[in-house]
Amino acid sequence: VEVITGPLVLNSPEGFEAGIGDWQAERGTWQVGAPTSGPAAAYAGDNVAATVLDGTYAATVSSRLVSPPFEVSSAAEHPRLRFRHWYSFSWYDSGEVQIKKGDGVWETISPTYTWTGSGVWTYPLIDLSAYAGSEVEIAFLFTASGNNNSSGWYIDAVEVITGPLVLNSPEGFEAGIGDWQAERGTWQVGAPTSGPAAAYSGANVAATVLDGNYAATVASRFISPRVLIAGAEENPALRFWHWYSFSWYDKGEVQIKTGDGTWETVSSEFTWTGGDIWSPVFIPLTRYAGSEVEIAFLFTASGNNNSSGWYIDEVEVPLGSAVGTEEESHVPEHFVLNGAYPNPFNSTTTILFDLPRTAELTLRLFDVLGREVHRINLGQLESRYGHEIELEAESLASGTYFFRLEMHATDGKETRTGSFTLVR
């Protein structure tokens, strides 16, 4: 028992490498440390927050893992919650992400995660714009009904990010998942080692599972950021390449949702096998011309069997643009760090960022003990989206590192921080 003082801090990203910090377990369950069950390893670094680190959760549980309070930035900055999770639940058990303003009540802001997550780390993204300017807490609520138990819920790399939502066209996922999201379970982004064994173009794809077969029971969408479809005179269409192999009764569909409406299927059902080749798909979007939409790849597995799954590459919405981008001026409003890709990596990673004004940049690397191990003076860079720093890590040992990107401009200094994991 201890009485502690000091400001409450929400690290972003929070990988729990220094322990639980100012997070708390509301009642029962929830541990922080290195997992030896479930995924058997963290998404990045060594630690996670989990219902149970070693074994299975109790049959009857209802408990939140609650963040320290923090203020959500303005709606103009498009605040959103990104985290990575791995989960396997028994029937009737579930996980939800919730939010609470001040002394208010908890509100659910995520889908309900149920049954199984396909046995992979995957990537939700939750819009926080409705809470802009408010002080909030976020929570991961896990509920077990008492009927049975399983491995549980594992959380890593929790972060609140800002900046314009961007849909690259074409999108080949070479810089990672970007502003796409996995609705529940399954869906990974990276280099495939099963199924087609290689991307259609470049190195990366989006896939139900990159290495092996999908779980026997899955129902999950892979969802784009909201985009504005071009006018009808441009004959807008969705184009992409895919490779798929499904078991009987399993299927893939392309869907579209306008605003806060319902999902509509706009493709035929992809079933059985695609012939073991990458093939193109063309879907006219004229009926959605001039509308703000989200595009989703919905994969459903019936529980009868499984197979290699669905692999997506080179997604293109000609003349579509992301809602909220600064496309006209081509100058960012904010200093935004967009992460390191790939992460983890074994030789070279690329750090991506947007620079709102011409400034001197410095990149500093620290080990987990906070010791500076490397510094790069990048010189003066011009304001624009999509700056890249290629970092070669030949002199570094395996492990987790934190980096600090410092912008030195005439009106002051700003810093942005992140982390990556080097695996030899």
Side-chain angles (χ1 to χ4, degrees):
V1 179
E2 58 182 327
V3 177
I4 56 178
T5 60
L8 295 165
V9 176
L10 176 69
N11 296 317
S12 184
E14 176 57 86
F16 304 102
E17 295 305 300
I20 197 167
D22 291 317
W23 291 70
Q24 61 165 308
E26 185 184 51
R27 65 169 69 87
T29 205
W30 293 110
Q31 298 179 294
V32 167
T36 57
S37 60
Y43 169 77
D46 296 319
N47 287 358
V48 300
T51 47
V52 178
L53 291 168
D54 181 11
T56 57
Y57 56 81
T60 303
V61 173
S62 180
S63 179
R64 293 181 179 94
L65 177 68
V66 183
S67 78
F70 64 96
E71 184 173 332
V72 180
S73 59
S74 71
E77 294 184 327
H78 307 287
R80 50 210 187 268
L81 174 67
R82 166 77 82 192
F83 61 96
R84 274 70 173 180
H85 68 163
W86 187 107
Y87 65 92
S88 179
F89 302 149
S90 293
W91 283 109
Y92 308 112
D93 300 344
S94 64
E96 297 176 312
V97 182
Q98 297 187 319
I99 196 167
K100 181 176 70 171
K101 288 184 183 180
D103 296 325
V105 297
W106 289 106
E107 304 172 29
T108 298
I109 55 174
S110 75
T112 299
Y113 305 117
T114 56
W115 190 226
T116 178
S118 283
V120 298
W121 284 99
T122 190
Y123 328 77
L125 185 71
I126 299 171
D127 184 15
L128 299 181
S129 297
Y131 303 91
S134 299
E135 185 175 80
V136 303
E137 296 166 272
I138 56 172
F140 297 90
L141 171 64
F142 174 64
T143 305
S145 63
N147 290 279
N148 212 327
N149 59 8
S150 188
S151 300
W153 201 6
Y154 299 75
I155 310 293
D156 203 359
V158 182
E159 56 186 328
V160 178
I161 55 179
T162 58
L165 292 116
V166 175
L167 175 67
N168 297 315
S169 184
E171 176 58 86
F173 306 104
E174 296 306 302
I177 195 169
D179 289 313
W180 290 71
Q181 63 163 307
E183 183 184 48
R184 63 168 64 86
T186 205
W187 292 110
Q188 297 180 293
V189 167
T193 57
S194 60
Y200 169 74
S201 177
N204 287 357
V205 300
T208 46
V209 178
L210 291 168
D211 181 11
N213 290 353
Y214 56 82
T217 304
V218 173
S220 181
R221 293 180 179 92
F222 186 59
I223 305 174
S224 78
R226 186 171 293 187
V227 294
L228 178 65
I229 301 298
E233 68 279 1
E234 302 294 340
N235 296 316
L238 170 66
R239 298 171 174 86
F240 62 94
W241 290 78
H242 68 164
W243 187 106
Y244 65 94
S245 178
F246 304 148
S247 293
W248 284 108
Y249 307 112
D250 300 344
K251 63 181 180 179
E253 301 170 273
V254 181
Q255 297 187 321
I256 284 186
K257 182 173 69 172
T258 304
D260 295 324
T262 58
W263 289 105
E264 304 173 19
T265 298
V266 294
S267 73
S268 58
E269 290 185 354
F270 305 114
T271 57
W272 192 227
T273 178
D276 290 335
I277 60 171
W278 282 99
S279 57
V281 178
F282 178 93
I283 301 173
L285 298 180
T286 305
R287 63 176 290 199
Y288 301 98
S291 299
E292 292 181 4
V293 305
E294 293 167 276
I295 299 167
F297 297 89
L298 170 63
F299 174 64
T300 307
S302 63
N304 291 279
N305 213 327
N306 59 8
S307 187
S308 301
W310 201 6
Y311 299 75
I312 310 293
D313 204 357
E314 293 298 294
V315 181
E316 185 175 3
V317 185
L319 303 178
S321 61
V323 175
T325 62
E326 320 300 332
E327 190 173 4
E328 291 185 2
S329 67
H330 301 286
V331 177
E333 287 188 351
H334 305 283
F335 182 28
V336 177
L337 177 63
N338 295 309
Y341 305 98
N343 186 12
F345 71 103
N346 62 13
S347 60
T348 303
T349 190
T350 300
I351 297 170
L352 309 174
F353 63 97
D354 303 327
L355 195 61
R357 51 194 173 278
T358 300
E360 296 281 337
L361 272 293
T362 302
L363 178 68
R364 302 170 64 189
L365 304 185
F366 303 86
D367 63 19
V368 293
L369 299 178
R371 298 174 298 197
E372 183 171 326
V373 296
H374 195 51
R375 180 184 297 206
I376 304 174
N377 294 317
L378 301 168
Q380 189 174 80
L381 301 179
E382 296 182 351
S383 60
R384 66 174 175 86
Y385 289 102
H387 277 289
E388 300 182 1
I389 306 168
E390 185 172 276
L391 178 65
E392 296 183 358
E394 295 177 352
S395 62
L396 299 177
S398 295
T400 297
Y401 294 86
F402 301 91
F403 59 88
R404 179 184 300 159
L405 189 61
E406 301 175 347
M407 179 181 72
H408 304 269
T410 55
D411 56 350
K413 171 183 169 182
E414 291 187 48
T415 64
R416 298 292 183 268
T417 60
S419 65
F420 57 73
T421 300
L422 175 62
V423 181
R424 295 295 190 189

